[in-house]
Amino acid sequence: MLESNSIKVEDKLFQNRYKVDEGNPHVCIEPHTVPSDVLQALVKLCPAGCYQKADDGTVEVLPDGCMECGTCRVLTAETGELQWNYPRGGYGIQFKFG
Ligand code: SF4
C-alpha cells in the first residue's frame, strides 16, 4: 500500500543542482548531416532531455542538466559519434539525496 506522503521521481530530481561549465561542454556530438538511429533515439532516451532535433534535421546536445547516467556514452561507444568526458571538478550534477 502506498503511503499518502509518497514523493514523485520528478520531485526528487528537482532537488539536484547543476553547475554549468561555460564553454566546456562535457558531451559533444561529432559533426553530421544525417543523424544516426542512435542519435535520434537519444532524443527520447536521455533522461535529462539533453538531446534535441534541430531544424536542419541534425541532432544537438546541450549537456546542462546531464545526470552522467552514461546511456549516451554506452550507446555510442562503438560508433564514435560522441566525445564524452566527466565534467571538470566542481562542475556538473550535484545529487541531493535528502
Ligand atoms: Fe543524457 Fe545520460 Fe548522456 Fe547525460 S549521460 S547526456 S543524462 S544520456
Side-chain angles (χ1 to χ4, degrees):
M1 180 178 205
L2 287 175
E3 296 179 25
S4 61
N5 63 352
S6 61
I7 189 166
K8 296 179 182 174
V9 171
E10 291 81 7
D11 293 335
K12 293 291 279 184
L13 290 174
F14 184 72
Q15 296 178 29
N16 296 330
R17 295 294 175 260
Y18 192 90
K19 186 171 181 185
V20 176
D21 189 1
E22 294 286 350
N24 293 303
H26 70 283
V27 183
C28 298
I29 301 176
E30 292 294 328
H32 63 279
T33 51
V34 178
S36 67
D37 290 343
V38 171
L39 287 180
Q40 292 184 62
L42 285 170
V43 173
K44 293 184 178 177
L45 292 177
C46 171
C50 295
Y51 291 85
Q52 57 187 307
K53 197 136 190 194
D55 291 340
D56 64 0
T58 61
V59 171
E60 300 173 332
V61 61
L62 182 61
D64 299 358
C66 168
M67 295 186 285
E68 300 172 23
C69 70
T71 301
C72 59
R73 185 178 190 179
V74 169
L75 291 177
T76 59
E78 303 271 320
T79 67
E81 295 169 287
L82 288 188
Q83 294 175 18
W84 199 106
N85 297 288
Y86 284 106
R88 295 191 302 159
Y91 294 97
I93 191 79
Q94 297 171 1
F95 292 104
K96 307 272 178 147
F97 298 105

